[in-house]
Amino acid sequence: MNNSIILQANDISKTFRFGKQELAVLKSINLSLPMGSSLSIRGESGCGKTTLLNILARIENADAGTLLWGQRSMDCERKARPDEVAHRANFLGVVYQAYYLVPELSVLENVTLSARISGSLDRSFVERAHDLLKKMGVADKADQIPGKLSGGERQRVAIARALLNQPKVLLADEPTGNLDERTGEDVMSLLLNACSEEGASLILVTHNQAFARATNQQSVLTEGKLNEV
Amino acid sequence: MKIPWPLFLAWKQLFPSRKIVSFFSLLAVVGVALGVNVMIVVVAFMKGFQHKFREDIIDAQGHARAIPLSRTKEWRILQNELLLMPKVSSVTPYLQGPLLVQKKDYHSVPLTIGIDLSRGEPVLPLDEFLENGQMRLEAHDAVDVTPVPASSSLHDDVVFVSQYVANRLGVRPGAILRMGDSKGQQDDALGVSVYEFSVDVPSAEWHLEYLGKQVWALRSPGLGFAREIKPVDGLLIAGPGTPTFATISPFLEPEIGAKSTYQTFRASTIEVFSPAMIEQAQADEMVPPKEVRVGGIFEVPWQGFHAEAMIGSFRMFEDMRTTTGLCDGMFLKFSQDISNNEESLYAFCEELELARSMDWAFVPWFVENAWFFDLLKFEEYLMILIMVPIGLVAAFAIAIALMTTVLRKIREIGLLVAMGGARGAVGAIFCIQGFLIGLLGAVLGCVLALLFIRFRDDIMSFIVVRIAGDEGKVGVAQFYDFYSLYVPYPWESSESASTFITFALFAVFVSTLAGLIPAWRAARMNPADALRNE
């Protein structure tokens, strides 16, 4: 195994079953992500991009295949074990298209939520959360609730939240999908810069070719196969 | 201190940041609080009524009754024995039975009790009953200053009658009114009160005048009575057949020549016939009835006491029966260590019974009135039976509300699992929410119940006056005696504390239970499916 590979997927397959109908969305997908690099995945809507991200994040099981998170090897057919779930909190950060901020929590509480869940929340995490919010340009919104923020601001907060635990890999699922072009560009620029500064590898699912081109590797998911561009 | 994250999120969902409380939380907590309040208040008041009835019954018949199983003339020996026991505080022997009473053409057959007040404090608080029953006369130019009749005035030619009998026969005890001046103005220049008003004071007008140097004059021109009197121990006693006055203070001297006018009304006389007398009359024998004076009107708070009743002296009853040395029973009162606990009271009665070779039955008050308390208990259980489903309905409402929250927050639930949250911990958020709603609702419900108990009279008056006017308020006071109801606070009585704690715990338990279903639903949710949810 190459030591510089931070995330590797081998022969990942996934088929959805609807009664007697079957839909194979992922067919023996292989993927390698070197440390500090970025990979974009494009593809038509419904082609299985989000499913692939979910499998990489061990939120969803595959029908076959193995996964490597750094040195940790996992069988994707079975459910994530508690230790893998706990490891995920520090290894991976996820940014979603729809932000998924908890509306009852303030911006700062949302950002520190992952540390709170992992039981490691302390003063240093709060300071880091403030730093990340500052980096994302929303430091003045720390005490606001998400409902008072614009879409772009919410996504910046979501990126800060994903980066709080200093993850090795950031999975971004169409992070600009709900934003206008200009805001999307700003957010993407912040995302790429933040990953670079934090040393996090990035897997970016996007429809936008320009954003895809900004990553080190580009690939397209078509008919269940991941093809490098 | 680190707060477990499920507790933190549960709290935040109820009390979000930058908001005092969420609307859902407010409704749920208030709902639980109202339920707890109602349950506590209903049970506390039921217990208050039970306590009141208990006190009233004990007042009306003592802690127990000794009933001879055969006619015995040895009752005085038993009375002496009982009075020597430190656990027995008072004994009142009685005779009872129906007597026919008559006033002109009006008749009544009250249950008559002849009591012997010669040996110590009476078991029945007769003075209180007389105070309850006193009816004052009303006049625009006079004030009724009749003192409350005392049990000490229960001589052999005096009876006390219940309000029912008084109304039926149209009789009343004697009364004394202080008259106003020619303009109807009341000027109590003498500063004296009427101390005693015996049944033999005739109807007449009286003038009481201060002559100076602690000498007073009492005159009744109609009766041709005039006497100068000096106070003895502050009392102005002019002799039999006159009212006795009391000076307010020996240091306050009225002006010389200051005068007050009083009008007295003699106590009604009634004729009393025993069953034997009636039988003799039916056999055309001339039997003169016994004439007695009405010394007072009494009212027993215990509704189970005979409404048509008369109390006379033991000797008068013996005379009417033409038997001596017999007794129908004894009212007994015991020391507090015995009477406070029903079990020890029952055991003591049994002990007394066994020691007397079963010649006497000693019946505790709660055995004699078991039917009534069984009824009250049944009513209390019925109330609880009705309220528990209400509590469960509230629990369902909470469960539905929490379930709605789960459905609304499906994607957040997925996110929490994706962020490393254990499924059990995610489920716990909703369970904890149910627990917190129950806990806060229980605390608020207890506070509301305390406020309700504290201001119960005001609340009751407010409601009753608006529904039935001032007359309704009087009715509530008279019929239920609501305003004198003893409803203890939890720190005053362990029973009250247990009522509060029981219903508070019930609310917390049911509310937590209500959170379990949504919690279970949330815990078994697939995070990927949850995140995909639209």
Side-chain angles (χ1 to χ4, degrees):
Chain A
M1 193 196 79
N2 189 340
N3 274 342
S4 69
I5 298 295
I6 190 71
L7 190 144
Q8 187 170 321
N10 299 318
D11 293 325
I12 301 282
S13 298
K14 176 78 177 178
T15 301
F16 286 107
R17 289 169 184 84
F18 310 99
K20 286 180 182 174
Q21 280 191 328
E22 290 190 347
L23 178 64
V25 288
L26 303 175
K27 297 171 185 169
S28 291
I29 298 279
N30 290 298
L31 176 155
S32 284
L33 184 68
M35 197 179 284
S37 76
S38 54
L39 163 71
S40 65
I41 302 173
R42 289 191 294 123
E44 288 175 3
S45 296
C47 70
K49 303 184 295 290
T50 300
T51 303
L52 178 59
L53 282 195
N54 284 343
I55 291 169
L56 294 178
R58 297 290 283 125
I59 293 170
E60 192 166 3
N61 297 342
D63 296 334
T66 55
L67 191 63
L68 218 61
W69 281 356
Q71 303 293 319
R72 189 185 282 257
S73 169
M74 287 166 284
D75 185 354
C76 292
E77 289 171 50
R78 57 166 175 77
K79 268 188 177 180
R81 291 195 309 256
D83 61 309
E84 289 166 2
V85 172
H87 181 60
R88 176 172 62 207
N90 294 315
F91 183 78
L92 277 174
V94 188
V95 179
Y96 301 92
Q97 179 182 350
Y99 333 123
Y100 299 151
L101 298 176
V102 181
E104 293 87 2
L105 302 184
S106 69
V107 163
L108 184 67
E109 286 163 344
N110 264 290
V111 174
T112 53
L113 187 59
S114 58
R116 194 181 286 278
I117 288 173
S118 64
S120 53
L121 181 64
D122 57 18
R123 189 183 294 272
S124 65
F125 272 98
V126 176
E127 281 168 10
R128 178 167 163 70
H130 277 295
D131 287 347
L132 285 166
L133 288 173
K134 197 173 173 185
K135 216 177 268 184
M136 294 294 140
V138 283
D140 57 328
K141 310 286 182 187
D143 293 329
Q144 291 282 7
I145 53 166
K148 300 279 181 192
L149 306 185
S150 67
E153 287 169 334
R154 288 184 206 187
Q155 196 57 291
R156 292 171 201 216
V157 173
I159 294 169
R161 179 181 64 189
L163 290 170
L164 183 81
N165 285 344
Q166 290 176 299
K168 304 286 184 293
V169 179
L170 193 71
L171 305 178
D173 187 4
E174 299 187 39
T176 58
N178 281 358
L179 305 176
D180 62 69
E181 197 175 333
R182 186 167 168 187
T183 311
E185 281 170 9
D186 289 346
V187 167
M188 187 52 70
S189 163
L190 277 169
L191 176 68
L192 292 170
N193 285 341
C195 282
S196 166
E197 282 175 25
E198 298 283 326
S201 305
L202 172 70
I203 296 182
L204 173 70
V205 167
T206 181
H207 288 290
N208 187 309
Q209 284 198 23
F211 295 159
R213 275 198 293 272
T215 58
N216 303 129
Q217 305 173 60
Q218 293 105 46
S219 58
V220 178
L221 187 64
T222 39
E223 294 178 352
K225 295 281 187 187
L226 193 63
N227 303 311
E228 248 183 74
V229 180
Chain B
M1 192 188 78
K2 277 187 182 174
I3 304 170
W5 70 270
L7 176 60
F8 173 79
L9 275 185
W11 183 263
K12 283 290 177 180
Q13 285 188 6
L14 297 176
F15 303 98
S17 293
R18 298 186 73 85
K19 232 176 163 186
I20 297 168
V21 63
S22 81
F23 185 62
F24 154 71
S25 318
L26 189 69
L27 284 186
V29 169
V30 169
V32 173
L34 288 176
V36 170
N37 172 43
V38 168
M39 287 194 277
I40 290 176
V41 166
V42 167
V43 172
F45 275 72
M46 289 301 293
K47 290 200 187 299
F49 277 116
Q50 280 178 24
H51 181 270
K52 182 180 158 39
F53 289 133
R54 176 196 154 104
E55 295 296 306
D56 289 347
I57 289 171
I58 290 171
D59 276 352
Q61 62 186 60
H63 291 131
R65 280 208 293 172
I67 302 165
L69 297 180
S70 60
R71 287 251 161 158
T72 174
K73 294 191 177 184
E74 300 305 312
W75 64 270
R76 284 188 196 282
I77 297 170
L78 175 66
Q79 186 187 17
N80 290 336
E81 278 177 16
L82 290 172
L83 283 171
L84 285 172
M85 290 181 171
K87 288 178 181 173
V88 179
S89 53
S90 53
V91 180
T92 303
Y94 66 86
L95 287 167
Q96 73 174 25
L99 293 177
L100 173 71
V101 290
Q102 179 178 301
K103 175 73 180 177
K104 296 180 181 166
D105 291 334
Y106 297 100
H107 301 89
S108 172
V109 188
L111 173 83
T112 308
I113 303 173
I115 51 175
D116 180 8
L117 299 175
S118 61
R119 303 284 299 275
E121 194 71 8
V123 169
L124 313 184
L126 208 48
D127 290 333
E128 274 178 36
F129 296 170
L130 289 167
E131 193 172 349
N132 292 342
Q134 193 184 28
M135 289 188 297
R136 295 208 173 269
L137 293 172
E138 285 179 26
H140 75 278
D141 59 350
V143 178
D144 189 339
V145 289
T146 315
V148 177
S151 57
S152 56
S153 64
L154 188 65
H155 304 301
D156 296 343
D157 58 347
V158 174
V159 290
F160 299 137
V161 295
S162 65
Q163 274 186 351
Y164 180 90
V165 174
N167 291 340
R168 194 175 166 91
L169 300 180
V171 297
R172 58 163 300 134
I176 177 167
L177 276 68
R178 192 179 66 229
M179 310 304 288
D181 60 17
S182 54
K183 291 176 185 168
Q185 295 292 313
Q186 282 291 329
D187 180 17
D188 184 17
L190 290 177
V192 296
S193 62
V194 180
Y195 179 76
E196 192 179 3
F197 189 77
S198 65
V199 291
D200 54 2
V201 177
S203 299
E205 188 176 284
W206 304 81
H207 302 285
L208 182 66
E209 186 180 350
Y210 184 65
L211 303 176
K213 294 181 181 172
Q214 293 298 319
V215 178
W216 303 69
L218 181 66
R219 301 186 196 92
S220 176
L223 298 173
F225 178 91
R227 189 166 295 168
E228 285 187 2
I229 37 180
K230 284 192 168 185
V232 178
D233 295 332
L235 297 180
L236 302 172
I237 303 167
T242 64
T244 300
F245 297 91
T247 55
I248 302 292
S249 163
F251 307 108
L252 293 175
E253 200 170 322
E255 279 181 31
I256 294 171
K259 192 194 286 184
S260 279
T261 302
Y262 296 89
Q263 176 68 48
T264 58
F265 299 93
R266 190 165 194 177
S268 306
T269 309
I270 54 175
E271 297 172 338
V272 186
F273 298 85
S274 68
M277 288 170 164
I278 296 165
E279 276 177 28
Q280 285 173 294
Q282 281 172 340
D284 290 335
E285 288 180 36
M286 281 294 290
V287 190
K290 182 170 178 64
E291 282 198 352
V292 291
R293 292 257 172 208
V294 177
I297 296 171
F298 66 87
E299 190 186 325
V300 182
W302 166 225
Q303 308 286 333
F305 196 85
H306 293 268
E308 198 170 358
M310 185 166 83
I311 295 174
S313 73
F314 194 88
R315 203 157 51 200
M316 181 205 89
F317 210 100
E318 275 188 324
D319 287 349
M320 298 301 295
R321 272 194 182 169
T322 63
T323 54
T324 50
L326 293 177
C327 155
D328 288 339
M330 294 182 208
F331 296 118
L332 305 173
K333 248 189 178 168
F334 303 128
S335 57
Q336 275 201 342
D337 56 323
I338 296 289
S339 59
N340 276 354
N341 183 302
E342 291 181 6
E343 277 179 26
S344 55
L345 178 57
Y346 189 83
F348 187 60
C349 285
E350 264 192 341
E351 192 185 308
L352 290 172
E353 212 164 277
L354 289 171
R356 260 131 219 110
S357 313
M358 310 295 280
D359 286 340
W360 288 79
F362 289 82
V363 188
W365 65 269
F366 53 86
V367 172
E368 197 163 333
N369 298 282
W371 63 273
F372 181 74
F373 281 89
D374 286 348
L375 208 67
L376 277 185
K377 276 277 172 211
F378 176 73
E379 199 178 344
E380 188 184 331
Y381 294 149
L382 205 67
M383 295 299 262
I384 293 172
L385 206 69
I386 294 167
M387 284 185 298
V388 166
I390 293 173
L392 293 177
V393 168
F396 268 103
I398 294 169
I400 290 165
L402 286 174
M403 194 62 118
T404 312
T405 311
V406 168
L407 295 176
R408 197 160 49 84
K409 291 187 167 294
I410 282 180
R411 293 199 291 189
E412 280 170 42
I413 290 166
L415 174 84
L416 294 172
V417 178
M419 288 173 93
R423 284 164 185 250
V426 172
I429 294 171
F430 297 92
C431 206
I432 292 169
Q433 272 191 57
F435 171 79
L436 289 175
I437 288 168
L439 189 68
L440 295 171
V443 170
L444 186 61
C446 288
V447 171
L448 285 177
L450 288 175
L451 288 174
F452 201 99
I453 291 171
R454 169 68 183 82
F455 297 106
R456 62 186 181 275
D457 290 352
D458 300 323
I459 294 169
M460 191 68 178
S461 301
F462 181 82
I463 296 168
V464 170
V465 166
R466 266 144 196 86
I467 293 173
D470 286 327
E471 282 177 19
K473 189 178 165 183
V474 175
V476 170
Q478 282 180 345
F479 186 71
Y480 295 109
D481 219 353
F482 185 88
Y483 298 104
S484 65
L485 212 57
Y486 172 66
V487 184
Y489 293 108
W491 53 88
E492 289 175 341
S493 130
S494 58
E495 200 177 24
S496 170
S498 89
T499 304
F500 271 74
I501 291 168
T502 304
F503 285 115
L505 289 179
F506 174 75
V508 175
F509 174 73
V510 165
S511 197
T512 310
L513 206 66
L516 276 180
I517 302 166
W520 177 74
R521 172 83 201 259
R524 57 190 283 275
M525 211 172 267
N526 183 320
D529 292 341
L531 286 169
R532 275 195 202 100
N533 189 276
E534 291 297 324

